[in-house]
Amino acid sequence: KDHDWFYNNVYYNYFAETMTGLDDTHFGPNETLARAQFAVILYRMNDTPEVEYKKTFPDVLENIWYTDAILWAADTKVVTGYSDTGMLGPSDKISREQMAVMLYRYAQYKGYDTAISADYDAFKDADKVSAFAKEAMEWAVGNGIISGKDGGTVLDPQGNATRAECATIIMRFIEKFEK
């Protein structure tokens, strides 16, 4: 429906070919996004370069729909996996702060200016941002990539990112850094 808050953002990503639908007629805007899916989006934004398989994460096997994207993301330091297990968790739901971290690292990889940041203490749940995500969240807020939920009052850093939220964040990123 073209009156949904996310309609233009989803449409934008569809034509930019960064996000496809769940099938030919369904986007699934309220469904959560997996970590592998977000890596695939960033990989597409970088024109899907050739990747040779190597065992980088114990839970990322050869010839899976996301393998090349994750290996590229690991080579470029966009993803590092979980520090406690060495696993990537490709099917784990991506949190909003994990999405911010991966996008921040992508911006660094691309050589974009990542110096602009902002304090996010005004958000009610600012104290919920994990230490590993603090710098990335300051960057995302400072650049208008993440503006908060519930009328801009909460960051919901631990919350699972929906496909509509991801489409919005990707559109804002492209508009700010790649246009």
Side-chain angles (χ1 to χ4, degrees):
K1 295 177 262 180
D2 63 6
H3 60 274
D4 289 324
W5 69 267
F6 50 77
Y7 178 81
N8 289 336
N9 310 343
V10 168
Y11 188 78
Y12 180 97
N13 278 270
Y14 177 78
F15 281 98
E17 297 181 352
T18 52
M19 293 181 78
T20 57
L22 300 175
D23 57 39
D24 289 342
T25 57
H26 299 92
F27 184 78
N30 297 315
E31 292 194 22
T32 56
L33 199 74
R35 287 165 55 87
Q37 290 171 309
F38 195 66
V40 167
I41 291 164
L42 298 178
Y43 181 60
R44 287 178 183 149
M45 288 169 58
N46 208 60
D47 300 323
T48 64
E50 288 279 323
V51 177
E52 191 172 314
Y53 181 77
K54 64 182 177 220
K55 188 105 171 148
T56 304
F57 301 104
D59 57 346
V60 176
L61 305 176
E62 198 168 0
N63 296 324
I64 300 176
W65 60 269
Y66 54 72
T67 302
D68 286 354
I70 288 174
L71 295 180
W72 165 83
D75 283 345
T76 59
K77 307 285 187 272
V78 170
V79 300
T80 58
Y82 295 120
S83 59
D84 57 344
T85 65
M87 304 280 205
L88 181 81
S91 60
D92 293 355
K93 293 175 181 175
I94 194 167
S95 69
R96 289 169 52 86
E97 69 180 7
Q98 288 171 349
M99 193 162 48
V101 168
M102 288 172 67
L103 198 55
Y104 178 61
R105 290 178 183 156
Y106 179 77
Q108 291 174 319
Y109 161 71
K110 295 295 281 183
Y112 299 144
D113 182 0
T114 56
I116 296 172
S117 65
D119 191 350
Y120 52 76
D121 285 346
F123 292 95
K124 291 184 206 172
D125 58 351
D127 62 325
K128 302 274 192 290
V129 175
S130 300
F132 77 87
K134 185 178 182 340
E135 188 176 329
M137 197 62 86
E138 289 170 343
W139 166 82
V141 169
N143 285 279
I145 307 294
I146 292 179
S147 58
K149 295 168 70 170
D150 297 337
T153 61
V154 295
L155 288 170
D156 191 22
Q158 310 299 321
N160 297 320
T162 67
R163 290 172 54 83
E165 290 170 343
C166 176
T168 301
I169 287 167
I170 293 297
M171 183 188 78
R172 289 174 181 163
F173 179 87
I174 291 172
E175 290 290 316
K176 173 128 183 129
F177 293 103
E178 298 191 348
K179 284 288 176 181

